[in-house]
Amino acid sequence: MYKIYQMDTKQLENPHIFQKYYQEATNSRRQKIDSFRMMKDKKLSLAAGALLNLGLKEYGLLDEKEKIVEGENGKPYLPGHPGIYFNISHSEQRAIAVFSDVEAGCDIEYAKVSPGLGLAERFFCPEEYRYILKQEEKRQAATFYRLWTLKESFLKATGFGLKLPLDQFCISLEGEIQVSQQVNRKKYYFKEWRDGEYQIAVCLECSKP
């Protein structure tokens, strides 16, 4: 079971709305927001914190929000509630968060800008790069972002983050989305969707082998 929360930072252009969420943020979140020089980054950080608070409220854990810590590779978790998993991501003007009863990762990317296939050739596994090249030229950028968000969500679900090279596991888009990996013996389930100019993916650890 999982739940997705989203926020468009355009609403934070209203100073009253920005201040409302800012006052509700934790001290550590405020410090993080204040550390950014660009207003765009401040709004994204504030939105991420607001979604985190919203998810915690669903569990009746608003008072626990200060007890979030980071694991070895930077993945946040609630040490007092090992059965609650969450993850956040943001891009351009959108933030998302996923809460679940299993390990979860999410990624959102602003997919309007063409990424250039050099990134895929350099960082993806050969099978993924060949799959992109097989697509019609007008679909190649969209396919790149599908793979990128799915791969990022997997990295975050496993907890390895950027310590695991992108070419050390392979995502297949042929039929049901699957991942070929030797990182662990766990199975993973993926969800993806396109929302306007944003590509979004969620990766969840299967509760049963």
Side-chain angles (χ1 to χ4, degrees):
M1 183 180 71
Y2 69 97
K3 189 169 184 179
I4 298 288
Y5 302 88
Q6 298 189 53
M7 179 181 285
D8 191 320
T9 62
K10 288 181 180 179
Q11 64 180 291
L12 298 178
E13 294 174 2
N14 183 316
H16 299 291
I17 296 177
F18 183 98
Q19 194 62 26
K20 172 183 177 295
Y21 283 115
Y22 184 84
Q23 291 300 323
E24 294 175 353
T26 64
N27 290 332
S28 58
R29 175 62 62 173
R30 291 182 192 175
Q31 291 174 3
K32 188 172 184 178
I33 293 168
D34 294 342
S35 70
F36 291 114
R37 296 181 60 186
M38 302 294 292
M39 180 53 68
K40 173 185 174 181
D41 297 323
K42 290 178 182 289
K43 291 189 294 184
L44 284 171
S45 182
L46 179 57
L51 295 180
L52 189 55
N53 287 349
L54 185 59
L56 289 172
K57 284 181 182 179
E58 292 285 329
Y59 289 93
L61 298 177
L62 188 58
D63 291 338
E64 301 290 324
K65 60 187 180 181
E66 292 283 11
K67 298 182 181 179
I68 295 172
V69 299
E70 291 188 353
E72 180 182 354
N73 297 320
K75 185 177 182 180
Y77 68 97
L78 293 162
H81 302 275
I84 300 174
Y85 302 90
F86 66 93
N87 197 232
I88 57 177
S89 179
H90 51 69
S91 179
E92 194 62 23
Q93 290 186 313
R94 189 81 61 86
I96 65 169
V98 57
F99 278 78
S100 176
D101 56 356
V102 295
E103 287 282 9
C106 66
D107 189 54
I108 181 170
E109 297 293 338
Y110 182 63
K112 184 177 181 179
V113 180
S114 178
L117 296 186
L119 284 173
E121 184 178 16
R122 180 179 177 185
F123 294 108
F124 288 4
C125 65
E127 295 89 342
E128 293 167 336
Y129 180 59
R130 287 195 294 267
Y131 182 81
I132 293 175
L133 294 181
K134 283 169 49 179
Q135 309 307 306
E136 295 181 20
E137 186 174 353
K138 63 181 180 181
R139 295 294 306 162
Q140 289 180 352
T143 303
F144 169 88
Y145 279 112
R146 287 184 64 196
L147 286 167
W148 183 274
T149 53
L150 289 165
K151 290 173 80 68
E152 286 287 334
S153 69
F154 173 77
L155 288 174
K156 297 169 80 173
T158 60
F160 283 96
L162 297 177
K163 286 192 174 182
L164 180 66
L166 289 172
D167 61 356
Q168 294 301 300
F169 62 97
C170 189
I171 299 288
S172 173
L173 299 180
E174 304 276 7
E176 183 179 355
I177 301 171
Q178 296 183 350
V179 58
S180 175
Q181 55 98 3
Q182 296 181 330
V183 174
N184 55 41
R185 296 179 179 273
K186 298 176 181 179
K187 301 294 183 181
Y188 294 89
Y189 168 72
F190 294 90
K191 290 285 290 183
E192 63 160 354
W193 64 97
R194 182 78 175 224
D195 187 357
E197 297 172 339
Y198 293 87
Q199 183 69 32
I200 305 168
V202 173
C203 178
L204 301 162
E205 181 182 317
C206 293
S207 55
K208 297 181 180 180

